Amino acid sequence: MDFRHLSHFIAVYESGSLSAGARQLGISQPSLSQSILTLEASLKTTLFVRIPKGVTPTTEGEKLYLHACNLIGQLQAVRSSFVQRPKKSKFKLGLIHALGTDRMAWLLKEFQNLCAVNQLELELVLVAPDSECDARIITTKQLKSGELFTPIWQDNYVIALNSHSPLSLKTQLSAQDFADLPLIKRLPCEAWRHLEAVLLKAKVKPDIRADIQTIEYALALVSTGIGAALVPDFTQLKSRPDLCLKELGDFSVQREIGLAHRRDGHHPLMPFLQAACLSAKTAYL
């Protein structure tokens, strides 16, 4: 008795006939009949009896079926454990700071879902935006020569104030309002240099109370009343009761966020990332 005989037995048992079992296995009926006879001889029992439309299992055949299924299943499990699995398709996506946690979480989830629907395996690697990547989500100012750019979001920079600040009652701020306004400096930030230039022109020296990097940390300091911060006008910030966002009357800085990838390179997952970016563009206006 060997596993081949058992698989032949299972095919006959489940199909109910030698001819159907032979077609299922892709072998001749005489070969299948001989295999069943060999198995019966090794077990010294009868496994099937003939009926007008095929065969039916004996009591011993019913007993063997459960054992045969278990043995074949265990054999397949052993074989699978030694089969080298194909490597996942790695996609390196470079992200800059301050992209907005809510919308980026939505975008990456959408990307994962699109890949799953198309039966593509993905390993997403978040790396520095200046590293070698398959694609980068960056601003237009960080675009390199030879890269294509697909726009996703456009952000306006505003001043985030604590909701209890007296300046929260004003429609918009002027450069002179910064004379007595503590500030949270955040670098790297493309808009900060523009703000410094506006204040310098107005002869206002900024009162820096903290020097940090992330928007989340800056907003936490604004919420506690440490100072105001220059931030992109993310949608989720507008509904926060602890913050008040104000525009500057003589200061306007925008940035455009988009997907950049090499013109001469094409990763098979790129169309799905582009589709996810287009969805994110309409989901987070």
Side-chain angles (χ1 to χ4, degrees):
M1 179 181 65
D2 59 28
F3 283 102
R4 181 171 55 88
H5 293 149
L6 289 178
S7 63
H8 290 177
F9 164 77
I10 291 173
V12 174
Y13 181 97
E14 292 179 347
S15 64
S17 77
L18 289 167
S19 57
R23 287 193 300 271
Q24 178 182 320
L25 294 168
I27 62 176
S28 66
Q29 183 173 332
S31 295
L32 180 58
S33 297
Q34 184 58 50
S35 180
I36 297 300
L37 289 174
T38 300
L39 181 61
E40 288 178 328
S42 65
L43 295 175
K44 296 181 174 56
T45 189
T46 301
L47 299 174
F48 295 105
V49 294
R50 292 186 176 274
I51 58 175
K53 294 184 178 181
V55 295
T56 186
T58 63
T59 301
E60 296 301 313
E62 295 283 2
K63 184 192 301 183
L64 177 62
Y65 178 71
L66 296 177
H67 293 302
C69 288
N70 288 333
L71 288 170
I72 294 297
Q74 290 173 10
L75 176 62
Q76 291 173 344
V78 171
R79 287 174 175 170
S80 297
S81 66
F82 289 93
V83 173
Q84 187 174 4
R85 297 182 183 278
K87 293 182 179 180
K88 291 183 178 180
S89 176
K90 292 185 178 180
F91 191 98
K92 289 189 177 181
L93 180 63
L95 304 179
I96 61 172
H97 291 291
L99 287 172
T101 53
D102 286 1
R103 65 188 186 183
M104 278 307 300
W106 189 96
L107 174 58
L108 294 178
K109 182 178 179 181
E110 186 73 6
F111 185 27
Q112 295 277 22
N113 288 341
L114 283 169
C115 290
V117 168
N118 290 275
Q119 298 181 335
L120 295 170
E121 294 187 18
L122 169 71
E123 182 178 342
L124 183 64
V125 182
L126 303 183
V127 296
D130 57 349
S131 300
E132 188 66 23
C133 306
D134 295 299
R136 303 185 300 147
I137 296 182
I138 58 173
T139 68
T140 50
K141 291 185 177 181
Q142 295 167 317
L143 194 63
K144 297 179 181 179
S145 175
E147 284 187 319
L148 297 175
F149 186 81
T150 303
I152 307 176
W153 303 298
Q154 183 167 296
D155 298 326
N156 296 307
Y157 278 89
V158 294
I159 298 297
L161 301 168
N162 184 281
S163 58
H164 298 297
S165 169
L167 292 176
S168 65
L169 300 176
K170 298 192 66 172
T171 304
Q172 60 181 209
L173 303 183
S174 67
Q176 294 303 321
D177 289 319
F178 286 80
D180 300 312
L181 180 63
L183 286 176
I184 310 299
K185 182 178 180 180
R186 186 178 61 80
L187 291 176
C189 174
E190 295 177 2
W192 178 260
R193 300 305 182 192
H194 294 273
L195 177 60
E196 283 186 320
V198 169
L199 297 182
L200 180 63
K201 184 178 180 180
K203 298 182 180 180
V204 173
K205 184 178 180 180
D207 179 12
I208 308 298
R209 299 294 179 89
D211 189 347
I212 58 174
Q213 292 186 346
T214 67
I215 287 181
E216 290 75 20
Y217 193 8
L219 293 173
L221 296 180
V222 173
S223 180
T224 57
I226 300 297
L230 181 64
V231 297
D233 59 346
F234 295 146
T235 302
Q236 69 268 26
L237 300 184
K238 299 175 183 178
S239 59
R240 283 184 53 168
D242 57 332
L243 301 178
C244 181
L245 306 182
K246 294 294 177 181
E247 295 182 353
L248 291 175
D250 48 4
F251 172 81
S252 177
V253 175
Q254 296 179 330
R255 68 172 184 175
E256 190 168 34
I257 302 292
L259 174 70
H261 62 94
R262 294 188 303 274
R263 188 184 302 271
D264 58 352
H266 182 76
H267 192 284
L269 296 181
M270 185 60 68
F272 304 104
L273 179 55
Q274 289 175 315
C277 289
L278 291 176
S279 297
K281 184 175 181 178
T282 56
Y284 284 85
L285 298 176

